[in-house]
Amino acid sequence: MKPSMMRSACQLLRRRSYSSTSGQPERKVAILGAAGGIGQPLALLMKLNPLVSSLSLYDIAGTPGVAADISHINTPALAKGFMGEDQLKEALEGSDVVIIPAGVPRKPGMTRDDLFNINAGIVKNLATAIAKYCPNALVNMISNPVNSTVPIAAEVFKKAGTYDEKRLFGVTTLDVVRAKTFYAGKANVPVTDVNVPVVGGHAGITILPLFSQATPATNALSHEDIKALTKRTQDGGTEVVEAKAGKGSATLSMAYAGAVFADACLKGLNGVPDIVECSYVQSTVTELPFFASKVKLGKNGVEEVLGLGELSDFEKEGLENLKGELKSSIEKGIKFANEN
Ligand SMILES: NC(=O)c1ccc[n+]([C@@H]2O[C@H](COP(=O)([O-])OP(=O)(O)OC[C@H]3O[C@@H](n4cnc5c(N)ncnc54)[C@H](O)[C@@H]3O)[C@@H](O)[C@H]2O)c1
């Protein structure tokens, strides 16, 4: 190639990469609970995400410091802190994705449901503000118990007349992250190649990893191995709660999982094809109104809720066993939202 042709080819390439960057839609992401154990590392990861142009960090305390710190990182996302309810409007307005890790975490001996009394009220208030200030945002609910907080948010949005089932997600990505890690270790396959769907809900036995569909497939695992992997995935959160011995629950792995899920939502919004993640959403996959399964993400949020695929007998049994608990957690959330 002549040097002049080479130069114009390089210029074209430069122009293309420049125009594809500037042509990317501006995206605002808000994190509610941004000064917490999950909120801070999640804020860091979202500040590093090139799809984010504006990062809004909201909490009832501590966000000026977190925002000042994060805003010095030389990535394009513009980070701003907001503290207290009178700044919630500004924090939320114009948001494309709102991530909610606000609320108290577990201590040893507690179940996720024990958090209900405190977190249900927090989620209800935040959902009310979302309905008012950014009703079109995709909501990524991290606050536990997710099995109930998602139905609470749905009820609040219904009452406000803003509910769109395509835009409300319970974040169950950490269950998938754990299932992938534990499977890779046991099956001795490269962890970055592993995929494992996790369905059901996000607490104890409602977490149902489908190791029969794990890829790369292996026949190195016995039924006992699968049972043990399933139990470890279901108890993964408790493993961390006990190891932290009173200092909270998973924060770093949760921030990673939250960032993976928010990135998938942003890619879907931007029209990137074939984005699929497991999430706890309004569903007709089973008779339960909310259920986690693989979800295809698109320009409006949920594009398609995918079915369960073929289950092993062990998974079929797990599915039947989880329905009672999941049903009552959903009903508890709906009741709370309508009575309080
Ligand atoms: N979905 C999951 O897989 C998963 C995993 C781990 C933890 N969690 C849940 O995430 C939540 C947060 O955990 P954490 O370890 O970050 O807790 P944390 O206590 O460290 O942080 C929570 C933050 O929420 C803030 N907050 C409280 N009330 C608020 C309100 N009304 N508005 C805005 N912010 C408010 C607090 O000030 C605090 O900064 C807990 O409910 C926990 O159970 C979910």
Side-chain angles (χ1 to χ4, degrees):
M1 198 189 273
K2 282 188 197 162
S4 61
M5 278 172 74
M6 181 79 137
R7 255 196 319 275
S8 50
C10 286
Q11 272 163 2
L12 190 67
L13 277 175
R14 264 204 302 275
R15 263 207 304 276
R16 272 204 188 132
S17 80
Y18 177 77
S19 79
S20 79
T21 316
S22 65
Q24 202 170 267
E26 303 264 295
R27 294 292 179 200
K28 175 173 171 178
V29 172
I31 302 179
L32 313 183
I38 295 167
Q40 291 200 37
L42 179 59
L44 169 62
L45 293 171
M46 297 318 292
K47 176 75 171 91
L48 304 184
N49 189 318
L51 302 180
V52 180
S53 42
S54 166
L55 183 61
S56 176
L57 304 175
Y58 174 82
D59 204 304
I60 49 172
T63 32
V66 177
D69 191 354
I70 290 236
S71 69
H72 290 182
I73 297 171
N74 59 325
T75 57
L78 206 67
K80 217 173 153 193
F82 300 91
M83 192 169 73
E85 272 192 43
D86 52 344
Q87 295 190 359
L88 190 49
K89 177 176 188 273
E90 206 191 327
L92 287 173
E93 271 175 349
S95 295
D96 297 288
V97 176
V98 178
I99 318 175
I100 313 184
V104 289
R106 285 193 287 162
K107 291 201 157 65
M110 287 172 91
T111 66
R112 292 180 179 85
D113 198 46
D114 293 330
L115 304 173
F116 187 94
N117 291 341
I118 299 175
N119 290 355
I122 293 175
V123 163
K124 193 176 175 204
N125 286 341
L126 293 174
T128 304
I130 290 168
K132 214 160 152 191
Y133 303 126
C134 56
N136 295 322
L138 303 192
V139 176
N140 294 184
M141 184 69 72
I142 293 175
S143 308
N144 271 318
V146 166
N147 290 354
S148 304
T149 52
V150 169
I152 291 173
E155 288 304 300
V156 171
F157 296 155
K158 278 180 202 167
K159 270 197 193 155
T162 65
Y163 183 53
D164 176 355
E165 73 276 10
K166 293 185 172 61
R167 295 176 183 271
L168 176 60
F169 303 86
V171 181
T172 57
T173 320
L174 182 53
D175 303 318
V176 176
V177 164
R178 286 177 176 141
K180 287 179 177 178
T181 305
F182 302 158
Y183 177 85
K186 199 78 186 165
N188 203 17
V189 289
V191 71
T192 46
D193 295 349
V194 171
N195 260 310
V196 185
V198 181
V199 303
H202 174 69
I205 63 157
T206 71
I207 299 167
L208 183 62
L210 303 181
F211 287 113
S212 70
Q213 296 175 20
T215 54
T218 176
N219 44 25
L221 300 181
S222 67
H223 181 57
E224 287 313 306
D225 289 334
I226 298 292
K227 271 171 73 178
L229 280 176
T230 301
K231 176 107 176 65
R232 187 163 182 218
T233 306
Q234 290 171 335
D235 294 346
T238 307
E239 202 177 291
V240 179
V241 168
E242 281 168 5
K244 290 198 174 177
K247 296 223 161 64
S249 59
T251 53
L252 303 173
S253 51
M254 181 60 239
Y256 169 75
V260 166
F261 190 71
D263 180 65
C265 287
L266 289 167
K267 284 186 175 136
L269 285 176
N270 288 357
V272 178
D274 302 322
I275 303 294
V276 174
E277 288 291 336
C278 289
S279 180
Y280 180 67
V281 293
Q282 181 175 311
S283 172
T284 54
V285 164
T286 67
E287 63 274 31
L288 299 171
F290 292 93
F291 196 83
S293 66
K294 281 196 221 170
V295 170
K296 193 168 174 196
L297 296 157
K299 289 186 175 174
N300 299 307
V302 175
E303 202 159 86
E304 192 183 353
V305 179
L306 302 173
L308 297 178
E310 202 171 319
L311 306 185
S312 68
D313 287 344
F314 175 65
E315 290 159 0
K316 281 182 192 153
E317 194 187 318
L319 177 61
E320 288 317 307
N321 289 342
L322 71 78
K323 285 181 181 169
E325 179 179 330
L326 188 49
K327 184 169 183 282
S328 62
S329 299
I330 294 168
E331 284 167 356
K332 189 172 175 181
I334 294 173
K335 189 163 178 271
F336 174 87
N338 290 315
E339 285 179 0
N340 290 275

PDB file of all heavy atoms in Angstrom, residues 277-301:
ATOM      1  N   GLU A 277     -29.108 -12.297  30.279  1.00  0.00           N
ATOM      2  CA  GLU A 277     -28.672 -12.487  31.665  1.00  0.00           C
ATOM      3  C   GLU A 277     -29.836 -13.073  32.450  1.00  0.00           C
ATOM      4  O   GLU A 277     -30.996 -12.815  32.112  1.00  0.00           O
ATOM      5  CB  GLU A 277     -28.286 -11.150  32.321  1.00  0.00           C
ATOM      6  CG  GLU A 277     -26.992 -10.532  31.841  1.00  0.00           C
ATOM      7  CD  GLU A 277     -25.727 -11.291  32.255  1.00  0.00           C
ATOM      8  OE1 GLU A 277     -25.753 -12.026  33.273  1.00  0.00           O
ATOM      9  OE2 GLU A 277     -24.719 -11.154  31.542  1.00  0.00           O
ATOM     10  N   CYS A 278     -29.543 -13.812  33.511  1.00  0.00           N
ATOM     11  CA  CYS A 278     -30.615 -14.250  34.401  1.00  0.00           C
ATOM     12  C   CYS A 278     -31.060 -13.078  35.254  1.00  0.00           C
ATOM     13  O   CYS A 278     -30.226 -12.284  35.707  1.00  0.00           O
ATOM     14  CB  CYS A 278     -30.126 -15.380  35.305  1.00  0.00           C
ATOM     15  SG  CYS A 278     -29.871 -16.926  34.427  1.00  0.00           S
ATOM     16  N   SER A 279     -32.358 -12.964  35.486  1.00  0.00           N
ATOM     17  CA  SER A 279     -32.861 -11.917  36.368  1.00  0.00           C
ATOM     18  C   SER A 279     -34.246 -12.297  36.892  1.00  0.00           C
ATOM     19  O   SER A 279     -34.970 -13.068  36.255  1.00  0.00           O
ATOM     20  CB  SER A 279     -32.930 -10.582  35.615  1.00  0.00           C
ATOM     21  OG  SER A 279     -33.415  -9.564  36.462  1.00  0.00           O
ATOM     22  N   TYR A 280     -34.579 -11.741  38.046  1.00  0.00           N
ATOM     23  CA  TYR A 280     -35.874 -11.998  38.705  1.00  0.00           C
ATOM     24  C   TYR A 280     -36.861 -10.941  38.207  1.00  0.00           C
ATOM     25  O   TYR A 280     -36.761  -9.766  38.570  1.00  0.00           O
ATOM     26  CB  TYR A 280     -35.660 -11.911  40.211  1.00  0.00           C
ATOM     27  CG  TYR A 280     -36.859 -12.137  41.085  1.00  0.00           C
ATOM     28  CD1 TYR A 280     -37.479 -13.381  41.173  1.00  0.00           C
ATOM     29  CD2 TYR A 280     -37.350 -11.101  41.882  1.00  0.00           C
ATOM     30  CE1 TYR A 280     -38.548 -13.583  42.017  1.00  0.00           C
ATOM     31  CE2 TYR A 280     -38.419 -11.304  42.741  1.00  0.00           C
ATOM     32  CZ  TYR A 280     -39.013 -12.547  42.797  1.00  0.00           C
ATOM     33  OH  TYR A 280     -40.071 -12.751  43.641  1.00  0.00           O
ATOM     34  N   VAL A 281     -37.792 -11.356  37.345  1.00  0.00           N
ATOM     35  CA  VAL A 281     -38.683 -10.410  36.670  1.00  0.00           C
ATOM     36  C   VAL A 281     -40.132 -10.916  36.711  1.00  0.00           C
ATOM     37  O   VAL A 281     -40.378 -12.079  37.062  1.00  0.00           O
ATOM     38  CB  VAL A 281     -38.273 -10.245  35.181  1.00  0.00           C
ATOM     39  CG1 VAL A 281     -36.923  -9.574  35.046  1.00  0.00           C
ATOM     40  CG2 VAL A 281     -38.272 -11.595  34.463  1.00  0.00           C
ATOM     41  N   GLN A 282     -41.052 -10.046  36.305  1.00  0.00           N
ATOM     42  CA  GLN A 282     -42.424 -10.520  36.118  1.00  0.00           C
ATOM     43  C   GLN A 282     -42.385 -11.600  35.040  1.00  0.00           C
ATOM     44  O   GLN A 282     -41.725 -11.441  34.008  1.00  0.00           O
ATOM     45  CB  GLN A 282     -43.347  -9.375  35.682  1.00  0.00           C
ATOM     46  CG  GLN A 282     -44.780  -9.861  35.520  1.00  0.00           C
ATOM     47  CD  GLN A 282     -45.751  -8.731  35.212  1.00  0.00           C
ATOM     48  OE1 GLN A 282     -45.751  -7.704  35.874  1.00  0.00           O
ATOM     49  NE2 GLN A 282     -46.591  -8.930  34.230  1.00  0.00           N
ATOM     50  N   SER A 283     -43.118 -12.700  35.291  1.00  0.00           N
ATOM     51  CA  SER A 283     -42.859 -13.888  34.469  1.00  0.00           C
ATOM     52  C   SER A 283     -44.087 -14.766  34.342  1.00  0.00           C
ATOM     53  O   SER A 283     -44.928 -14.829  35.249  1.00  0.00           O
ATOM     54  CB  SER A 283     -41.731 -14.662  35.178  1.00  0.00           C
ATOM     55  OG  SER A 283     -41.512 -15.911  34.578  1.00  0.00           O
ATOM     56  N   THR A 284     -44.150 -15.478  33.201  1.00  0.00           N
ATOM     57  CA  THR A 284     -45.180 -16.508  33.051  1.00  0.00           C
ATOM     58  C   THR A 284     -44.520 -17.886  32.848  1.00  0.00           C
ATOM     59  O   THR A 284     -45.158 -18.826  32.402  1.00  0.00           O
ATOM     60  CB  THR A 284     -46.105 -16.205  31.852  1.00  0.00           C
ATOM     61  OG1 THR A 284     -45.273 -16.017  30.696  1.00  0.00           O
ATOM     62  CG2 THR A 284     -46.948 -14.966  32.066  1.00  0.00           C
ATOM     63  N   VAL A 285     -43.226 -17.955  33.180  1.00  0.00           N
ATOM     64  CA  VAL A 285     -42.485 -19.207  33.015  1.00  0.00           C
ATOM     65  C   VAL A 285     -43.040 -20.298  33.944  1.00  0.00           C
ATOM     66  O   VAL A 285     -43.075 -21.477  33.593  1.00  0.00           O
ATOM     67  CB  VAL A 285     -40.975 -18.943  33.273  1.00  0.00           C
ATOM     68  CG1 VAL A 285     -40.201 -20.225  33.494  1.00  0.00           C
ATOM     69  CG2 VAL A 285     -40.382 -18.160  32.111  1.00  0.00           C
ATOM     70  N   THR A 286     -43.479 -19.892  35.130  1.00  0.00           N
ATOM     71  CA  THR A 286     -44.176 -20.804  36.053  1.00  0.00           C
ATOM     72  C   THR A 286     -45.498 -20.123  36.421  1.00  0.00           C
ATOM     73  O   THR A 286     -45.805 -19.058  35.890  1.00  0.00           O
ATOM     74  CB  THR A 286     -43.371 -21.048  37.346  1.00  0.00           C
ATOM     75  OG1 THR A 286     -43.314 -19.815  38.080  1.00  0.00           O
ATOM     76  CG2 THR A 286     -41.948 -21.513  37.059  1.00  0.00           C
ATOM     77  N   GLU A 287     -46.212 -20.702  37.370  1.00  0.00           N
ATOM     78  CA  GLU A 287     -47.458 -20.060  37.811  1.00  0.00           C
ATOM     79  C   GLU A 287     -47.196 -18.863  38.736  1.00  0.00           C
ATOM     80  O   GLU A 287     -48.111 -18.117  39.073  1.00  0.00           O
ATOM     81  CB  GLU A 287     -48.373 -21.087  38.495  1.00  0.00           C
ATOM     82  CG  GLU A 287     -47.837 -21.720  39.767  1.00  0.00           C
ATOM     83  CD  GLU A 287     -46.955 -22.948  39.529  1.00  0.00           C
ATOM     84  OE1 GLU A 287     -46.273 -23.009  38.473  1.00  0.00           O
ATOM     85  OE2 GLU A 287     -46.947 -23.835  40.393  1.00  0.00           O
ATOM     86  N   LEU A 288     -45.931 -18.664  39.145  1.00  0.00           N
ATOM     87  CA  LEU A 288     -45.613 -17.543  40.048  1.00  0.00           C
ATOM     88  C   LEU A 288     -45.463 -16.244  39.254  1.00  0.00           C
ATOM     89  O   LEU A 288     -44.884 -16.246  38.167  1.00  0.00           O
ATOM     90  CB  LEU A 288     -44.316 -17.837  40.804  1.00  0.00           C
ATOM     91  CG  LEU A 288     -44.369 -19.076  41.691  1.00  0.00           C
ATOM     92  CD1 LEU A 288     -42.992 -19.423  42.221  1.00  0.00           C
ATOM     93  CD2 LEU A 288     -45.343 -18.856  42.828  1.00  0.00           C
ATOM     94  N   PRO A 289     -45.966 -15.121  39.815  1.00  0.00           N
ATOM     95  CA  PRO A 289     -45.945 -13.870  39.040  1.00  0.00           C
ATOM     96  C   PRO A 289     -44.545 -13.275  38.847  1.00  0.00           C
ATOM     97  O   PRO A 289     -44.331 -12.486  37.932  1.00  0.00           O
ATOM     98  CB  PRO A 289     -46.826 -12.933  39.868  1.00  0.00           C
ATOM     99  CG  PRO A 289     -46.862 -13.512  41.242  1.00  0.00           C
ATOM    100  CD  PRO A 289     -46.685 -14.987  41.090  1.00  0.00           C
ATOM    101  N   PHE A 290     -43.612 -13.628  39.750  1.00  0.00           N
ATOM    102  CA  PHE A 290     -42.221 -13.185  39.577  1.00  0.00           C
ATOM    103  C   PHE A 290     -41.328 -14.420  39.655  1.00  0.00           C
ATOM    104  O   PHE A 290     -41.539 -15.295  40.517  1.00  0.00           O
ATOM    105  CB  PHE A 290     -41.802 -12.190  40.670  1.00  0.00           C
ATOM    106  CG  PHE A 290     -42.518 -10.878  40.558  1.00  0.00           C
ATOM    107  CD1 PHE A 290     -43.698 -10.657  41.264  1.00  0.00           C
ATOM    108  CD2 PHE A 290     -42.028  -9.865  39.737  1.00  0.00           C
ATOM    109  CE1 PHE A 290     -44.374  -9.451  41.159  1.00  0.00           C
ATOM    110  CE2 PHE A 290     -42.706  -8.660  39.627  1.00  0.00           C
ATOM    111  CZ  PHE A 290     -43.882  -8.456  40.337  1.00  0.00           C
ATOM    112  N   PHE A 291     -40.332 -14.466  38.810  1.00  0.00           N
ATOM    113  CA  PHE A 291     -39.486 -15.654  38.759  1.00  0.00           C
ATOM    114  C   PHE A 291     -38.195 -15.255  38.039  1.00  0.00           C
ATOM    115  O   PHE A 291     -38.223 -14.454  37.109  1.00  0.00           O
ATOM    116  CB  PHE A 291     -40.210 -16.758  37.972  1.00  0.00           C
ATOM    117  CG  PHE A 291     -39.633 -18.124  38.172  1.00  0.00           C
ATOM    118  CD1 PHE A 291     -39.988 -18.888  39.284  1.00  0.00           C
ATOM    119  CD2 PHE A 291     -38.734 -18.667  37.258  1.00  0.00           C
ATOM    120  CE1 PHE A 291     -39.459 -20.155  39.483  1.00  0.00           C
ATOM    121  CE2 PHE A 291     -38.202 -19.928  37.441  1.00  0.00           C
ATOM    122  CZ  PHE A 291     -38.561 -20.684  38.556  1.00  0.00           C
ATOM    123  N   ALA A 292     -37.079 -15.834  38.505  1.00  0.00           N
ATOM    124  CA  ALA A 292     -35.799 -15.564  37.819  1.00  0.00           C
ATOM    125  C   ALA A 292     -35.553 -16.620  36.755  1.00  0.00           C
ATOM    126  O   ALA A 292     -35.724 -17.820  37.011  1.00  0.00           O
ATOM    127  CB  ALA A 292     -34.648 -15.569  38.818  1.00  0.00           C
ATOM    128  N   SER A 293     -35.187 -16.150  35.573  1.00  0.00           N
ATOM    129  CA  SER A 293     -34.768 -17.063  34.504  1.00  0.00           C
ATOM    130  C   SER A 293     -33.942 -16.227  33.535  1.00  0.00           C
ATOM    131  O   SER A 293     -33.731 -15.035  33.768  1.00  0.00           O
ATOM    132  CB  SER A 293     -35.978 -17.680  33.802  1.00  0.00           C
ATOM    133  OG  SER A 293     -36.711 -16.686  33.120  1.00  0.00           O
ATOM    134  N   LYS A 294     -33.499 -16.881  32.462  1.00  0.00           N
ATOM    135  CA  LYS A 294     -32.741 -16.113  31.472  1.00  0.00           C
ATOM    136  C   LYS A 294     -33.664 -15.088  30.830  1.00  0.00           C
ATOM    137  O   LYS A 294     -34.818 -15.399  30.501  1.00  0.00           O
ATOM    138  CB  LYS A 294     -32.217 -17.053  30.383  1.00  0.00           C
ATOM    139  CG  LYS A 294     -30.994 -17.831  30.780  1.00  0.00           C
ATOM    140  CD  LYS A 294     -30.369 -18.381  29.512  1.00  0.00           C
ATOM    141  CE  LYS A 294     -29.906 -19.772  29.695  1.00  0.00           C
ATOM    142  NZ  LYS A 294     -29.505 -20.413  28.440  1.00  0.00           N
ATOM    143  N   VAL A 295     -33.138 -13.879  30.650  1.00  0.00           N
ATOM    144  CA  VAL A 295     -33.921 -12.787  30.080  1.00  0.00           C
ATOM    145  C   VAL A 295     -33.114 -12.145  28.959  1.00  0.00           C
ATOM    146  O   VAL A 295     -31.923 -11.872  29.141  1.00  0.00           O
ATOM    147  CB  VAL A 295     -34.224 -11.729  31.179  1.00  0.00           C
ATOM    148  CG1 VAL A 295     -34.818 -10.473  30.580  1.00  0.00           C
ATOM    149  CG2 VAL A 295     -35.154 -12.299  32.242  1.00  0.00           C
ATOM    150  N   LYS A 296     -33.761 -11.933  27.818  1.00  0.00           N
ATOM    151  CA  LYS A 296     -33.097 -11.218  26.726  1.00  0.00           C
ATOM    152  C   LYS A 296     -33.357  -9.729  26.898  1.00  0.00           C
ATOM    153  O   LYS A 296     -34.512  -9.309  27.081  1.00  0.00           O
ATOM    154  CB  LYS A 296     -33.654 -11.718  25.393  1.00  0.00           C
ATOM    155  CG  LYS A 296     -32.849 -11.296  24.231  1.00  0.00           C
ATOM    156  CD  LYS A 296     -33.262 -12.046  22.986  1.00  0.00           C
ATOM    157  CE  LYS A 296     -32.519 -11.472  21.818  1.00  0.00           C
ATOM    158  NZ  LYS A 296     -33.100 -11.846  20.551  1.00  0.00           N
ATOM    159  N   LEU A 297     -32.284  -8.943  26.878  1.00  0.00           N
ATOM    160  CA  LEU A 297     -32.407  -7.505  27.137  1.00  0.00           C
ATOM    161  C   LEU A 297     -32.343  -6.712  25.833  1.00  0.00           C
ATOM    162  O   LEU A 297     -31.544  -7.034  24.949  1.00  0.00           O
ATOM    163  CB  LEU A 297     -31.275  -7.054  28.064  1.00  0.00           C
ATOM    164  CG  LEU A 297     -31.345  -7.689  29.452  1.00  0.00           C
ATOM    165  CD1 LEU A 297     -29.987  -7.691  30.113  1.00  0.00           C
ATOM    166  CD2 LEU A 297     -32.367  -6.977  30.313  1.00  0.00           C
ATOM    167  N   GLY A 298     -33.187  -5.682  25.746  1.00  0.00           N
ATOM    168  CA  GLY A 298     -33.220  -4.886  24.522  1.00  0.00           C
ATOM    169  C   GLY A 298     -33.399  -3.410  24.808  1.00  0.00           C
ATOM    170  O   GLY A 298     -33.163  -2.936  25.927  1.00  0.00           O
ATOM    171  N   LYS A 299     -33.871  -2.681  23.780  1.00  0.00           N
ATOM    172  CA  LYS A 299     -33.951  -1.218  23.868  1.00  0.00           C
ATOM    173  C   LYS A 299     -34.980  -0.736  24.882  1.00  0.00           C
ATOM    174  O   LYS A 299     -34.966   0.415  25.297  1.00  0.00           O
ATOM    175  CB  LYS A 299     -34.273  -0.639  22.493  1.00  0.00           C
ATOM    176  CG  LYS A 299     -33.097  -0.755  21.545  1.00  0.00           C
ATOM    177  CD  LYS A 299     -33.375  -0.054  20.234  1.00  0.00           C
ATOM    178  CE  LYS A 299     -32.116  -0.093  19.373  1.00  0.00           C
ATOM    179  NZ  LYS A 299     -32.297   0.421  18.043  1.00  0.00           N
ATOM    180  N   ASN A 300     -35.919  -1.613  25.252  1.00  0.00           N
ATOM    181  CA  ASN A 300     -36.934  -1.235  26.246  1.00  0.00           C
ATOM    182  C   ASN A 300     -36.813  -2.028  27.522  1.00  0.00           C
ATOM    183  O   ASN A 300     -37.764  -2.123  28.292  1.00  0.00           O
ATOM    184  CB  ASN A 300     -38.333  -1.452  25.656  1.00  0.00           C
ATOM    185  CG  ASN A 300     -38.557  -0.610  24.434  1.00  0.00           C
ATOM    186  OD1 ASN A 300     -38.365   0.604  24.484  1.00  0.00           O
ATOM    187  ND2 ASN A 300     -38.902  -1.243  23.326  1.00  0.00           N
ATOM    188  N   GLY A 301     -35.663  -2.645  27.757  1.00  0.00           N
ATOM    189  CA  GLY A 301     -35.519  -3.506  28.940  1.00  0.00           C
ATOM    190  C   GLY A 301     -35.694  -4.960  28.550  1.00  0.00           C
ATOM    191  O   GLY A 301     -35.037  -5.448  27.627  1.00  0.00           O
TER     192      GLY A 301
END
